[in-house]
Amino acid sequence: KILKPNKSLVDDILKKKKMVINNYDLFCPKMMISSRERKRKKTLFTHYKDSYSFKNFNYKQNFIKFGKKGKGYDLIIHARSRKHVRPACNWSRKKWDLLVNGLPKNIKIASIGMAPDALHIKGTDNLLNLNMKKLCNIMCSSKWMIGPQSGPTHLAALCKLKHIVWSPLERNRSRCLTDWNPFGADCEFILNRNPSHEKIKNTIFEKMGLQNE
């Protein structure tokens, strides 16, 4: 949470294309510095420890761990299914079904996300369209999450939820492992746009310490 700025400061922020909404910005590191500064630093994203200054104002990031402990799941799935934004990063329903069917039957699994941009996978609890508070509580209380690199995987980091994430871009490795991971959540990054379900299944078994039935 940050202090409420006065009107002139707000105008200055907006002129510099910065956004402060309801005094919270869940994913502010991407917006912390100007394109000119990003070019000078040769980076697309900032680190969670970075700060931003202009005039007499210095904005230091202060991240809040989201969620409260309660009942959770062994594994949360974000089966991304966006049709107009990076559709090549979506898995088919068939691949998700193969993955879930290959996991032990005694682990609790849930599907999260916002329909129709995420799928409910058969054999998992349907937690699609949960409000943010309930979703954060579930994330905070669960053991692992899997999915392609996306908003929910970054939210998992803010809930300190361990997660397995994949992306075709090497620059997203540091973004997931450190830059946007202020609480040091355990994260396994796989450099692949469309890894096989066997690759993800084997990674789940290894990271979660599961045994084949």
Side-chain angles (χ1 to χ4, degrees), residues 45-96:
F45 310 105
T46 59
H47 192 279
Y48 68 88
K49 290 183 179 180
D50 287 350
S51 61
Y52 179 77
S53 300
F54 59 93
K55 292 189 176 180
N56 296 322
F57 180 72
N58 183 50
Y59 175 39
K60 294 182 178 179
Q61 301 177 88
N62 180 23
F63 288 87
I64 299 170
K65 182 174 175 292
F66 289 96
K68 293 183 179 180
K69 290 288 186 180
K71 292 183 179 180
Y73 288 83
D74 297 305
L75 183 65
I76 292 175
I77 285 174
H78 178 233
R80 185 185 189 277
S81 185
R82 299 192 70 177
K83 293 179 174 57
H84 304 295
V85 180
R86 296 186 288 118
C89 293
N90 298 338
W91 261 17
S92 67
R93 182 181 289 276
K94 180 180 179 180
K95 286 186 72 170
W96 284 111

Side-chain angles (χ1 to χ4, degrees), residues 1 9 14 26 46-47 56 76 87 89 103 116 129 134 183 189-190 196 198:
K1 193 169 184 178
L9 189 55
L14 293 177
L26 291 181
T46 59
H47 192 279
N56 296 322
I76 292 175
C89 293
L103 297 176
N129 301 325
K134 290 181 179 179
F183 304 110
F189 180 86
I190 297 171
S196 69
E198 283 290 339

